[in-house]
């Protein structure tokens, strides 16, 4: 058995960092087969328990080794509506790959490493889409008379819509923005998730009969009670966590201080990297500074550096993070990619002021050095600022990526739906039902910022809950 994993091809750092083309190129058929052949086909596969939607990983990999790619695709689709997306963005190293038996063996034998399950899933997902492999509908005649409203078109909303639609339920998705996809469209840049892949997965849902209504903010244009009176028998809320946090320091309101959400929305959703061919611009500086250590910070910094290069500006983008690289929540792969592309990292640094010029444009950022103290509630060692260690960096564009909170536009006008102190919607664990009868919720609006596949896992549970609720409905 081959022990070393098959490396996936990537665009060279110099080439990719001046474009928004996809960085990770995926496996060829031969590479996918070689990687699949490394799977031990364990009697009791532990990897499946690491996947939030429980894909039968062992079976789909075996089908690959038998050259049955259509079968592998159908096996994955039984549990995951979006294999081409998850194969690209899933933090598999914390999920299925972490639970792969080779991860444990690899601690003993350095040459062993977990199977690249996500790259295999990506290969199979792309194969299924290219070859129009059809999944079987699982229509339930007792349910096909119902209509369900899904609010929000991120991974939670899309997944719930897919699950309900394949049972024959009529689904309408209401989305506040003019395009569907949620963070997959406005947050994650095309160099990680090409838009044709996202569009193909959403088109698949439309072909199944799911209707989408963009530019519809539920809670403004109409509320949840009105949805019921329009004939919807149940409602799913996949509202996400789209409200950015700021630093709460002097200078937060200066010009050219962006939230990562606004910056990425301008770049990804409104295609600012194609300005003036696209209508929406974004300001690009000579010294761009991103504050934060999660996936959002990596995406914002990598987009900022690309914009500098595309605008003929010498690349100078710096990430400031209060702890060290070990505590960074971003995926390891994204951190490595950012470093290869030339992003500067300053660890153990806490901004205390954004300093503006006479026209109120940010020009400098004042920071304190930090050291690591005792672990805090998150289990990570707390950053402790060192008194008197102040220093300044040039900064003519600052991008704040220090967290996201619940979007409460809908819940504020719907007091029947109970929320917690963060504005997250409270649900029952088993079927994701809110305190309002017939209203279910899942994704980041429930647990705070999580992952794409966790949001989909909750949406699947909610879809089961909705079906059970509808069966009891007269
Ligand atoms: P969202 O994707 O936020 O979608 C919610 C949707 O609801 C939005 O389209 C919003 O416009 C809409 N909406 C909100 N309120 C209303 C309303 N009242 N009426 C109508 N529509 C409404 N996870 C990973 O697994 N891998 C990654 O690599 C990764 N990278 C990330 C990068 C960034 C920049 C960000 C911000 C997050 C990243 N995540 C990643 C996290 C992941 O994207 C989220 O956990 C996931 O998108 C949550 O899905 P969701 O459907 O709950 O919410
Ligand atoms: Fe792993 Fe994500 Fe695929 Fe599940 S969906 S098998 S966690 S890559």
């Amino acid at each position: 058995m081959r022990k070393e994993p098959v490396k996936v091809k990537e665009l060279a750092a110099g080439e990719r960092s001046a474009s928004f083309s996809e960085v990770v190129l995926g496996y060829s058929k031969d590479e996918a087969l070689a990687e699949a052949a490394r799977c031990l086909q364990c009697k009791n596969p532990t990897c499946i328990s690491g996947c939030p939607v429980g894909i039968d990983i062992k079976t789909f990999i075996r089908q690959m080794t038998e050259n049955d790619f259509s079968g592998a695709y159908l096996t994955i689709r039984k549990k995951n509506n979006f294999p081409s997306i998850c194969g690209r963005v899933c933090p598999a190293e914390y999920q299925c790959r972490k639970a792969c038996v080779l991860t444990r063996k690899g601690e003993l034998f350095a040459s062993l490493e977990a199977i690249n399950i996500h790259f295999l899933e990506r290969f199979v997902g792309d194969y299924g889409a290219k070859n129009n492999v059809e999944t079987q509908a699982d229509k339930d005649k007792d349910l096909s008379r119902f209509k369900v409203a899904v609010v929000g078109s991120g991974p939670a909303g899309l997944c719930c819509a897919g699950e309900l639609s394949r049972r024959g339920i009529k689904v309408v998705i209401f989305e506040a923005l003019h395009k569907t996809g949620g963070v997959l469209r406005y947050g994650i840049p095309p160099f990680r998730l090409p838009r044709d892949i996202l569009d193909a997965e959403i088109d698949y849902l439309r072909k199944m009969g799911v209707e989408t209504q963009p530019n519809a903010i539920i809670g403004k244009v109409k509320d949840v009670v009105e949805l019921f009176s329009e004939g919807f028998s149940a409602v799913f809320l996949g509202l996400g966590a789209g409200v950015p946090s700021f630093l709460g320091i002097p200078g937060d309101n200066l010009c050219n201080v962006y939230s990562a959400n606004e910056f990425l929305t301008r770049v990804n959703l409104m295609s600012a990297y194609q300005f003036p061919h696209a209508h929406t611009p974004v300001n690009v500086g000579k010294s761009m500074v991103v504050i934060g250590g999660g996936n959002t910070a990596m995406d914002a910094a990598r987009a900022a550096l690309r914009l500098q290069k595309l605008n003929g500006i010498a690349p100078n983008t710096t990430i400031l993070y209060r702890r060290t690289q070990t505590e960074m929540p971003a995926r390891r792969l994204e951190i490595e990619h950012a470093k290869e592309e030339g992003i500067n990292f300053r660890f153990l640094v806490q901004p205390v002021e954004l300093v503006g010029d006479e026209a109120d444009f940010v020009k400098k950022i004042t920071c304190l050095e930090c050291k690591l103290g005792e672990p805090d509630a998150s289990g990570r060692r707390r950053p402790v600022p060192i008194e008197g260690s102040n220093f300044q960096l040039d900064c003519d564009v600052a991008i704040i990526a220090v967290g996201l909170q619940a979007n409460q536009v809908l819940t504020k006008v719907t007091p029947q739906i109970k929320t917690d102190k963060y504005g997250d919607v409270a649900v029952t664990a088993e079927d994701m039902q809110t305190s309002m009868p017939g209203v279910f919720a899942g994704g980041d609006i429930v647990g705070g910022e999580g992952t794409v596949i966790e949001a989909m896992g909750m949406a699947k549970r909610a879809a089961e809950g909705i079906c059970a609720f509808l069966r009891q409905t007269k």
Side-chain angles (χ1 to χ4, degrees), residues 370-391:
C370 295
K371 60 183 179 191
L372 287 183
E374 293 301 311
D376 62 14
S378 71
R380 292 174 303 167
R381 291 182 65 191
R382 188 189 303 274
V384 182
I386 303 170
E387 221 175 295
S389 63
N390 307 42
F391 66 96

Side-chain angles (χ1 to χ4, degrees), residues 398-465:
I399 304 165
I400 318 291
V402 294
L404 296 164
Q405 298 156 35
N407 181 333
Q408 298 187 55
V409 170
L410 183 148
T411 50
K412 284 268 191 238
V413 297
T414 323
Q416 303 94 313
I417 299 175
K418 287 211 171 76
T419 55
D420 67 11
K421 63 176 175 179
Y422 304 108
D424 291 351
V425 171
V427 291
T428 53
E430 65 286 358
D431 60 2
M432 312 301 289
Q433 190 153 190
T434 70
S435 52
M436 185 173 180
V439 180
F440 297 73
D444 285 2
I445 189 64
V446 168
E449 215 188 330
T451 68
V452 169
I453 195 70
E454 283 168 353
M456 289 171 63
M458 288 190 240
K460 282 172 84 82
R461 286 214 297 287
E464 292 301 327

Side-chain angles (χ1 to χ4, degrees), residues 157-180:
L158 293 174
C159 176
C160 186
E163 289 296 309
L164 296 174
S165 174
R166 83 184 166 81
R167 277 137 163 140
I169 297 169
K170 172 78 194 151
V171 181
V172 181
I173 301 181
F174 296 91
E175 167 55 50
L177 295 171
H178 65 288
K179 282 192 175 171
T180 45

